[in-house]
Amino acid sequence: MHPEADDRDEERGRALKRDIFAITQLRMAGALDAMMKYFAADVVVHYRCTKEGLFLPGELHGVDAFRENIRLTDAAYEPLGFEVLDILAQGDTGVVRWRNSWRCRGTGRVATLDMAHFLRWRNGSIVEVFEYLDYHGWGATADEARLDK
């Protein structure tokens, strides 16, 4: 056993958890330039679910494509509130499970989504993201789940 190595791994995990929480805050605040500083220029973003209205399952390549995707989302949907449910981090991987509420700018309709993002780091930057969404919030009980009340 190497206690020093265990301590370094534990501190690295805490640092990743802080970064993951900061990314969620920046995302919902619309601070895209600050958020993108966490991502490598060649980041690959995998969407593994149907995205409501705007985007289909697939992949984005590069930080510019990722930023544009978020810009398009924010043009159509206003972020209202969020809560982080779980953050796990170990080695160079992390995951965040969180809930967020959005208002459709065209209709005023508000929905709450559960999301999970799996992240992989290399040399201090995120190089790969897997996004999963649960659209339960688009249903009849969406108003009860709202985080902006």
Side-chain angles (χ1 to χ4, degrees), residues 5-136:
D6 291 341
D7 290 345
R8 282 192 303 271
D9 289 345
E10 195 172 305
E11 178 52 39
R12 173 72 175 141
R14 283 194 296 271
L16 288 181
K17 287 178 182 180
R18 285 191 299 270
D19 287 351
I20 292 168
F21 189 81
I23 291 166
T24 61
Q25 287 180 308
L26 293 166
R27 169 64 191 101
M28 294 303 283
L32 299 187
D33 289 338
M35 179 185 150
M36 290 301 150
K37 291 178 182 179
Y38 288 91
F39 296 87
D42 62 347
V43 66
V44 177
V45 182
H46 306 269
Y47 293 107
R48 295 296 186 223
C49 51
T50 301
K51 295 195 58 129
E52 180 70 25
L54 295 176
F55 307 102
L56 297 175
E59 292 181 357
L60 294 175
H61 295 268
V63 74
D64 292 334
F66 186 32
R67 180 186 290 111
E68 179 63 7
N69 177 302
I70 294 172
R71 188 194 68 73
L72 290 171
T73 300
D74 287 356
Y77 298 94
E78 174 190 7
L80 299 175
F82 76 99
E83 68 177 310
V84 172
L85 304 172
D86 294 299
I87 298 177
L88 303 172
Q90 183 174 17
D92 287 330
T93 60
V95 63
V96 59
R97 188 172 66 93
W98 60 308
R99 182 170 293 141
N100 43 62
S101 292
W102 303 82
R103 181 184 342 273
C104 178
R105 294 184 192 275
T107 66
R109 182 179 179 199
V110 175
T112 298
L113 304 174
D114 282 353
M115 301 180 77
H117 287 89
F118 294 79
L119 311 166
R120 186 171 58 86
W121 275 261
R122 183 180 61 231
N123 299 326
S125 296
I126 298 169
V127 295
E128 192 169 33
V129 178
F130 288 84
E131 178 182 279
Y132 297 88
L133 304 178
D134 182 348
Y135 284 108
H136 69 83

